[in-house]
Amino acid sequence: MTVTDTAASKLDKSAKIFVAGHRGLVGSAVVRRLRTLGYTNLILRSHSELDLTNQSAVKTFFTIEKPQYVILAAAKVGGIHANNTYPADFITINLQIQTNVIDSAYRYGVKKLLFLGSSCIYPKHAPQPIPESALLTGPLEPTNEWYAVAKIAGIKMCQAYRLQYKWDAISAMPTNLYGPNDNFHPENSHVLPALMRRFHEAKVSSAKEVVVWGTGSPLREFLHVDDLADAVVFLLENYSDLGHVNVGSGKEVSIKELAELVKEVVGFEGELVWDSSKPDGTPRKLMDSSTLAKLGWEPKISLRDGLVGTYKWYVTTQ
């Protein structure tokens, strides 16, 4: 693994940085972090302003804007239901976005690109904690393999351009994320925002109980999106090598502990009931983030503090 000299690696604060997908959970956090650190020349485009699946439009954008750095956080994302219903969309749209942005970034003189993937790239039965070396060692989780295959292709594309063109493209794979701008949709959201919404609505309606599927025993890892954004900028400034890098908190919490903590943060005073007739899902999913730790980065936001901040954001945006 290669770490560039930290003192010499800091990017010029006026460098043109294109954050693709700046309105999403990850992209918006990356923009916040860059601005906090004093970066003043961010290039941002909404989907209506620039359709990243349109190769001609992407080429024109890079020709005119000539960004020096690219953070590729744009993607079509969704839960199990969406992946099962629209598999062609998930594989095609993500492949188009990645191919257009990565290829144009190289061809139009971008110095460095950071591609963001997902922990779903790893095999369903990967060893725990999951090391980077587990990639492509077994079958994927079938419910989101279309998205996962596209993300794996993105990693391999960055590696291929590094090998063939000696171009500085790197990849980061975050664990389960949460925070401001998360998806709180009642049907399509992930476990943490779904729990927060349900407890909030139960509190508002003075419900006596909230029923949660399963036994609460599965172990999961969560990382606040502002910690991920900090890691993204750290890697952009300090890392340059072929291998992708896991980004996790390194801390596990059971779904039961998580539900009780969310209940406490929201202030729901009713009863939490577990429906053990419903499935639990994968018993454990934890990323091995030791590569990133050895580079000198570690998360700073505790789960409790992160939940408090996320709930404040959720309440103020309703």
Side-chain angles (χ1 to χ4, degrees):
M1 296 298 171
T2 302
V3 189
T4 55
D5 178 71
T6 304
S9 69
K10 298 301 181 189
L11 312 184
D12 180 353
K13 291 293 194 288
S14 63
K16 293 183 84 169
I17 303 175
F18 174 40
V19 181
H22 75 283
R23 287 185 170 175
L25 172 66
V26 174
S28 61
V30 168
V31 169
R32 284 196 302 274
R33 185 62 187 150
L34 287 168
R35 284 176 172 162
T36 299
L37 292 170
Y39 288 93
T40 57
N41 204 353
L42 306 186
I43 306 171
L44 310 174
R45 292 290 186 276
S46 67
H47 177 70
S48 60
E49 293 169 324
L50 175 60
D51 179 359
L52 296 176
T53 67
N54 183 324
Q55 186 182 47
S56 176
V58 172
K59 284 183 177 180
T60 300
F61 164 80
F62 276 91
T63 304
I64 295 169
E65 292 295 339
K66 295 182 171 58
Q68 293 163 276
Y69 300 91
V70 173
I71 297 170
L72 181 43
K76 179 175 178 59
V77 298
I80 293 172
H81 177 72
N83 270 268
N84 284 337
T85 309
Y86 307 108
D89 289 355
F90 275 88
I91 193 165
T92 304
I93 291 172
N94 283 302
L95 285 172
Q96 287 173 332
I97 290 171
Q98 294 161 197
T99 303
N100 291 341
V101 173
I102 293 170
D103 186 68
S104 284
Y106 164 69
R107 296 192 184 281
Y108 293 95
V110 168
K111 291 180 182 178
K112 186 171 189 175
L113 176 141
L114 186 147
F115 170 70
L116 277 152
S118 161
S119 60
C120 72
I121 62 165
Y122 292 114
K124 181 175 183 177
H125 300 296
Q128 301 289 331
I130 308 172
E132 286 93 348
S133 59
L135 182 65
L136 295 176
T137 59
L140 299 164
E141 165 58 53
T143 55
N144 60 11
E145 66 177 339
W146 319 107
Y147 178 75
V149 164
K151 286 295 177 182
I152 293 169
I155 296 171
K156 290 299 173 185
M157 192 169 175
C158 288
Q159 292 176 343
Y161 276 60
R162 177 177 287 275
L163 291 169
Q164 184 170 337
Y165 301 123
K166 306 296 184 284
W167 183 55
D168 198 359
I170 61 174
S171 300
M173 299 299 119
T175 187
N176 299 312
L177 301 169
Y178 73 99
N181 292 317
D182 205 346
N183 173 19
F184 287 84
H185 190 280
E187 293 171 11
N188 299 331
S189 58
H190 294 119
V191 60
L192 196 155
L195 284 171
M196 188 168 284
R197 178 178 179 135
R198 291 185 64 196
F199 281 122
H200 174 74
E201 290 178 348
K203 181 178 83 168
V204 170
S205 65
S206 301
K208 292 182 178 179
E209 66 179 32
V210 168
V211 179
V212 181
W213 280 21
T215 64
S217 64
L219 296 168
R220 292 293 183 269
E221 175 187 28
F222 295 95
L223 182 72
H224 194 283
V225 71
D226 286 347
D227 269 336
L228 171 64
D230 187 54
V232 163
V233 178
F234 175 86
L235 288 167
L236 193 68
E237 291 181 337
N238 297 297
Y239 178 77
S240 178
D241 211 347
L242 189 66
H244 65 281
V245 180
N246 286 346
V247 185
S249 65
K251 295 178 180 176
E252 290 178 293
V253 60
S254 71
I255 298 298
K256 185 173 188 294
E257 291 169 319
L258 176 68
E260 288 169 350
L261 188 54
V262 173
K263 177 177 180 282
E264 179 188 325
V265 166
V266 170
F268 174 64
E269 296 179 352
E271 189 179 355
L272 171 55
V273 179
W274 294 94
D275 182 358
S276 57
S277 70
K278 297 294 193 295
D280 265 336
T282 306
R284 188 184 187 206
K285 190 175 180 185
L286 174 67
M287 303 258 279
D288 178 350
S289 300
S290 58
T291 297
L292 184 55
K294 288 171 187 171
L295 295 175
W297 184 88
E298 59 183 24
K300 301 171 183 66
I301 303 170
S302 72
L303 183 57
R304 178 183 290 277
D305 289 347
L307 288 174
V308 169
T310 302
Y311 184 57
K312 283 181 182 174
W313 177 87
Y314 173 71
V315 170
T316 57
T317 55
Q318 293 310 294

